Amino acid sequence: MHNLSIDALSVTARQCLAVTCLQRFCQRFDIHHRALSAFAVHVWKVAQLGPGDFSAWERGFASLPVTGMGDPWPDDLRLALPGHLLGVLQELVQHVLETSACTWHGDDLPASRRQLEAVFAICVLHDVAVPQLAHYVQHDAALRGGWGPVLTDEEVRAWQALI
């Protein structure tokens, strides 16, 4: 499935890969909802977090209608989804969040890998194309405790074009 190891990717790259998979899943099943869009937009901000921005970004999840932290989803979202996809989508969102969250207060890179592998497994099971890892390789992926360098606007646009 992949031509290189997840271990070669920064946490930022892993998080962007995970949210790309979520967005591809939503496209595949024609799922459109502002709560999921807000979650994806917020997750993408990880790509350009500077040293002093992380705490505000982390706190920003609490204001979202979908957090990936086990909170109940808004009724209008749950009712808009086909019943057979609700649990799968909730699980996918949680793994997307945990792809980086497991490293927020420590450097658990193996847990980050396992979370991204879970995202990939859900995608494969539901016939959603998993992006090639090579598109997310960064120089100096080990910087900032494995989070890698902050992406430029051009790099973010290039990664988002992979959705």
Side-chain angles (χ1 to χ4, degrees), residues 133-153:
L133 300 184
H135 296 297
Y136 296 83
V137 173
Q138 296 173 277
H139 69 287
D140 299 329
L143 284 177
R144 301 185 310 147
W147 279 74
V150 173
L151 272 65
T152 65
D153 290 344

Side-chain angles (χ1 to χ4, degrees), residues 62-74:
S63 66
L64 298 173
V66 168
T67 65
M69 297 178 193
D71 298 327
W73 282 20

Side-chain angles (χ1 to χ4, degrees), residues 24-110:
R24 285 182 174 193
F25 185 96
C26 289
Q27 286 176 350
R28 161 89 170 78
F29 292 102
D30 200 28
I31 298 169
H32 305 279
H33 194 278
R34 65 187 178 283
L36 290 170
S37 295
F39 176 80
V41 166
H42 189 73
V43 171
W44 270 108
K45 291 177 184 177
V46 75
Q48 295 187 307
L49 290 180
D53 301 331
F54 181 80
S55 292
W57 177 75
E58 179 185 6
R59 284 190 311 271
F61 281 98
S63 66
L64 298 173
V66 168
T67 65
M69 297 178 193
D71 298 327
W73 282 20
D75 288 340
D76 65 318
L77 173 55
R78 288 185 308 100
L79 294 172
L81 295 172
H84 69 285
L85 290 179
L86 176 60
V88 172
L89 190 55
Q90 288 174 319
E91 182 181 355
L92 179 57
V93 167
Q94 182 178 354
H95 288 301
V96 168
L97 175 72
E98 287 296 329
T99 297
S100 73
C102 61
T103 69
W104 289 355
H105 303 289
D107 61 349
D108 196 350
L109 296 177

Side-chain angles (χ1 to χ4, degrees), residues 99-129:
T99 297
S100 73
C102 61
T103 69
W104 289 355
H105 303 289
D107 61 349
D108 196 350
L109 296 177
S112 174
R113 180 188 62 245
R114 288 189 302 273
Q115 293 297 327
L116 185 55
E117 288 170 342
V119 167
F120 291 167
I122 290 170
C123 287
V124 169
L125 184 64
H126 294 279
D127 199 28
V128 174

